Amino acid sequence: MSGELKTVYGTLPATTRGVPVHLGGDPKGKNFLYTNGHSVFIRDINNPMIVDTYNEHQVNATVARYSPSGFYIASGDESGKIRIWDTVNKEHILKYEYRPLSGAIKDIGWSEDSKRIVAVGDGRESFASVFLWDSGSTVGEILGHNKAINSVAFKQQRPYRIATAGEDCITNLYEGPPFKITKSNISDHTRFANCVRFNHDGSKYLTVGSDAKGFFYDGKTGEKIGELGDASNKHTGSIMSLSWSADGSQVITASADKTAKLWDVARNVVVSTFTFGDAVEDQQLGTLWQGSHILTVSLSGYINYLDVNNPNKPLRILKGHNKSINSLSIASDRSTFYSGSYDGRITAWNYGNGENDIVQGKGHTNDVTQLRTQGDKLVSISADDSIRFTDSASKTYSDDNKVGLPSVPHGLGVSKSNIAVVACHNSVELLRNGKKASSINVAYEPQAAAINPAENQVAVGGKDGKLYVYTLNGDSLVEKTQLESKGPVTSVAYSGNGLWLAVGDTQRNIYVYEASSLERKITSWVFHSARVNAIAWSADNRHLASVGLDTSIYVWDVEQPNKRVHIKNAHPGNITCVEWLDENTLLTAGQDCCVRSWTIKY
């Protein structure tokens, strides 16, 4: 038996309000890249559902840049490390690793010969370093800032220049190698300088900042040429990012005023203003001009492909998640699946092509802890103390289908007909047809719940290390028995034919019981090295999949208990949920904000 990764349904860029997002572009024009969590994501710009990942950072990655040759990528992280790895091999072999700064790397630049790297960001003694890519040897000093540097640009023509933009509101220019200050303490910005970029021939560079202003400078001397725009056309909020067209005749700017502006540089006028909405999440934090594509990044994480012919509507918007995914569910048609994340967002995905959209309307306001599909309804529970029954056809929330819960819900079980059982903090709630039917207070803290497909039995896992099995009689739950586990129960699941009941706990144990007799069939599967987070039965009622804190996926066989599939390091971090799409396809998701599909061979 074996398991193989089939598809990555990519996350969106990590975003923070008021912090610029620096997208990277492939010099060949094929891909773009960004970071989220410990990973770097490489996406095909024409077909962004083609996703590649680099998962080797031990802390959160912050920025990534292609070398001008296109053969290597340098990625930085919160610890101040830079990893340089190849783009040719599928394994992305590491070439070099350095730690040029003691704090987070915020931006990276390469020289045009792909031999020198400049890294800027935060630190205790230094906010920048310029060094040779293959030895780490210093090739100058980037001095003159007294606070973190937000952005850096490396002039791609000789004589080389490096421009910086910092939180001290200063922009500087350096010449080299070895690099030293050419023009220092340029104080035209009155608030944070957020981004700096040279044009195509290096004759000028542009800086933008939180004062809603931009300034052009001579690319060789650093002398100011002029200001971007005037009172009639300037941004009204912080300008977070900029990107030049390939010929340098135009530039795109992204702003917290929820717009992006396309500028004619020679005339210093706005050609188009792109609008995105009036919500806080519509603030624009990043830009990339890649060939004919102009991209921006919203605070929501959405990646917008701008349409120069229609500034009011992007050509396409890449949606999904940029916070931890904690729940998955498969639609009854098996072609759609749903994912719910820590920030309350639920996304509907087309399994075949990866196209997706969020469930619309005013929905959950906190962590979506579990999703289940029940006929034409998507059932979701959330740490906002509610359960919702959302029409899966319209994919739109309705307050009419929202039910308040007495406390935080941890687990959800549904029947194929119309029953839902919710394991709340100190009670078990039963709902029928989307309405409360009964409730029992309990002395333990419920963590997980499942309903036998025969609708005659309910299993609830407790934080006290016990499994509570109830007889379901109409709308009443009557406790039948208690079964011991070695640790707090994290997940329970009945097989589709109702014959088997599986249980996972924090002490790495998985037990399988005969549901009717509650006799233990599998004494214990204990190959996980950390807590079991979720379990799911395949449609053949024979195979059980489990995922855990140890970043592993296991597929177990009830008929041959000693055989198993083990997929190591399936996600770069905690795996929180698992579901079967069909007998040979698994979906998993976790803290990397991605959904991954796996082909399982027996």
Side-chain angles (χ1 to χ4, degrees):
M1 297 200 302
S2 63
E4 181 179 350
L5 179 65
K6 183 176 181 180
T7 306
V8 177
Y9 299 87
T11 180
L12 299 172
T15 59
T16 302
R17 187 173 181 178
V19 177
V21 173
H22 298 310
L23 298 176
D26 176 3
K28 299 176 183 178
K30 178 176 173 56
N31 300 319
F32 68 101
L33 73 167
Y34 54 83
T35 62
N36 192 315
H38 293 189
S39 302
V40 178
F41 293 84
I42 307 169
R43 302 186 75 160
D44 187 296
I45 200 161
N46 290 308
N47 184 4
M49 301 311 156
I50 299 175
V51 181
D52 192 9
T53 64
Y54 179 77
N55 306 317
E56 298 304 315
H57 282 277
Q58 299 304 303
V59 298
N60 286 340
T62 50
V63 65
R65 286 277 186 267
Y66 274 95
S67 66
S69 69
F71 294 131
Y72 299 100
I73 290 173
S75 54
D77 63 32
E78 289 181 342
S79 72
K81 285 184 179 179
I82 285 184
R83 297 175 66 89
I84 302 168
W85 39 281
D86 78 67
T87 61
V88 179
N89 296 288
K90 182 180 180 181
E91 297 79 11
H92 299 307
I93 298 169
L94 178 69
K95 299 294 290 184
Y96 305 100
E97 182 181 74
Y98 307 109
R99 192 181 182 189
L101 300 180
S102 60
I105 305 291
K106 295 195 171 188
D107 202 2
I108 295 171
W110 288 80
S111 61
E112 51 83 27
D113 58 4
S114 300
K115 293 182 177 180
R116 301 168 185 85
I117 293 176
V118 58
V120 302
D122 210 346
R124 289 187 293 271
E125 298 178 357
S126 175
F127 304 106
S129 178
V130 57
F131 54 91
L132 294 174
W133 84 291
D134 57 353
S135 68
S137 300
T138 299
V139 286
E141 292 183 310
I142 309 297
L143 304 175
H145 287 276
N146 55 46
K147 290 185 179 180
I149 301 175
N150 289 323
S151 181
V152 67
F154 214 130
K155 181 172 170 281
Q156 295 296 289
Q157 303 80 16
R158 294 178 182 269
Y160 290 144
R161 297 290 187 270
I162 292 174
T164 57
E167 290 184 3
D168 51 9
C169 311
I170 291 172
T171 59
N172 289 332
L173 186 69
Y174 306 82
E175 61 180 322
F179 289 92
K180 58 184 179 181
I181 289 180
T182 298
K183 188 77 172 178
S184 65
N185 198 31
I186 305 173
S187 304
D188 295 308
H189 287 288
T190 57
R191 298 180 66 187
F192 287 1
N194 292 322
C195 189
V196 56
R197 297 288 181 257
F198 283 95
N199 67 348
H200 71 300
D201 62 8
S203 62
K204 62 173 68 75
Y205 63 93
L206 174 62
T207 68
V208 294
S210 295
D211 54 4
K213 294 181 179 181
F215 298 97
F216 293 100
Y217 300 93
D218 183 275
K220 184 177 181 181
T221 66
E223 295 296 327
K224 186 166 73 171
I225 297 172
E227 185 173 343
L228 177 69
D230 56 37
S232 65
N233 57 18
K234 70 177 184 179
H235 283 288
T236 58
S238 299
I239 306 177
M240 307 305 298
S241 180
L242 72 99
S243 187
W244 291 84
S245 63
D247 62 5
S249 65
Q250 294 181 315
V251 69
I252 187 79
T253 54
S255 173
D257 66 6
K258 309 178 187 69
T259 71
K261 291 182 181 289
L262 180 62
W263 302 80
D264 182 296
V265 175
R267 294 186 295 139
N268 200 22
V269 297
V270 174
V271 177
S272 296
T273 297
F274 302 89
T275 57
F276 298 91
D278 55 9
V280 172
E281 291 76 14
D282 294 315
Q283 294 181 6
Q284 300 301 297
L285 304 182
T287 60
L288 178 69
W289 200 319
Q290 183 86 324
S292 61
H293 299 286
I294 305 175
L295 310 184
T296 68
V297 177
S298 302
L299 177 59
S300 62
Y302 294 171
I303 301 171
N304 311 289
Y305 283 61
L306 304 189
D307 185 354
V308 295
N309 297 314
N310 183 7
N312 294 318
K313 184 178 180 181
L315 290 167
R316 71 186 305 173
I317 303 175
L318 303 184
K319 299 181 180 180
H321 300 278
N322 64 358
K323 299 292 189 298
S324 174
I325 299 174
N326 295 329
S327 50
L328 283 173
S329 184
I330 313 295
S332 56
D333 63 8
R334 317 306 290 181
S335 65
T336 302
F337 66 89
Y338 300 91
S339 54
S341 56
Y342 181 76
D343 56 356
R345 184 182 300 176
I346 297 177
T347 300
W349 304 78
N350 180 290
Y351 172 76
N353 60 26
E355 294 289 343
N356 64 72
D357 202 355
I358 64 168
V359 176
Q360 302 292 324
K362 187 177 180 181
H364 290 296
T365 58
N366 209 325
D367 183 11
V368 180
T369 51
Q370 204 147 31
L371 294 171
R372 290 287 183 264
T373 302
Q374 187 179 53
D376 61 355
K377 298 292 184 182
L378 176 66
V379 187
S380 57
I381 58 173
S382 167
D384 63 8
D385 298 354
S386 74
I387 180 171
R388 286 178 175 269
F389 299 82
T390 304
D391 181 70
S392 56
S394 68
K395 298 179 179 63
T396 302
Y397 291 111
S398 170
D399 284 341
D400 294 337
N401 296 321
K402 174 185 176 181
V403 179
L405 297 171
S407 58
V408 176
H410 300 295
L412 171 66
V414 299
S415 69
K416 289 184 178 180
S417 57
N418 55 5
I419 303 171
V421 172
V422 185
C424 290
H425 184 70
N426 52 15
S427 67
V428 178
E429 307 292 321
L430 190 144
L431 298 93
R432 187 180 291 275
N433 296 320
K435 306 294 183 182
K436 284 188 179 182
S438 66
S439 175
I440 57 172
N441 293 324
V442 294
Y444 62 96
E445 188 174 331
Q447 298 291 297
I451 303 176
N452 189 301
E455 298 185 12
N456 59 1
Q457 193 179 78
V458 170
V460 179
K463 196 173 183 179
D464 59 357
K466 295 180 180 179
L467 178 70
Y468 295 83
V469 181
Y470 297 85
T471 298
L472 177 59
N473 184 6
D475 292 337
S476 299
L477 292 174
V478 180
E479 185 176 327
K480 179 179 180 181
T481 189
Q482 299 179 20
L483 302 172
E484 296 289 335
S485 188
K486 290 186 178 180
V489 175
T490 55
S491 51
V492 294
Y494 284 97
S495 59
N497 59 8
L499 295 180
W500 308 116
L501 170 61
V503 181
D505 69 23
T506 61
Q507 298 302 309
R508 308 180 294 121
N509 298 283
I510 298 172
Y511 305 104
V512 177
Y513 298 88
E514 290 184 348
S516 58
S517 65
L518 296 178
E519 178 183 348
R520 188 176 288 182
K521 169 74 172 180
I522 306 296
T523 301
S524 183
W525 282 320
V526 286
F527 283 86
H528 280 284
S529 60
R531 62 173 282 159
V532 177
N533 286 325
I535 54 178
W537 287 96
S538 64
D540 63 8
N541 302 300
R542 173 177 174 176
H543 297 97
L544 182 75
S546 62
V547 297
L549 184 61
D550 58 1
T551 74
S552 286
I553 300 170
Y554 281 95
V555 178
W556 314 89
D557 187 336
V558 173
E559 295 184 9
Q560 296 178 301
N562 293 325
K563 290 190 175 182
R564 58 192 173 276
V565 175
H566 181 200
I567 304 173
K568 298 180 181 179
N569 302 315
H571 289 250
N574 190 18
I575 309 177
T576 57
C577 43
V578 58
E579 292 291 338
W580 290 88
L581 186 78
D582 56 48
E583 290 187 8
N584 297 99
T585 306
L586 269 182
L587 296 181
T588 59
Q591 287 186 338
D592 63 346
C593 316
C594 286
V595 179
R596 299 170 190 258
S597 72
W598 307 85
T599 300
I600 307 299
K601 297 179 181 179
Y602 305 113

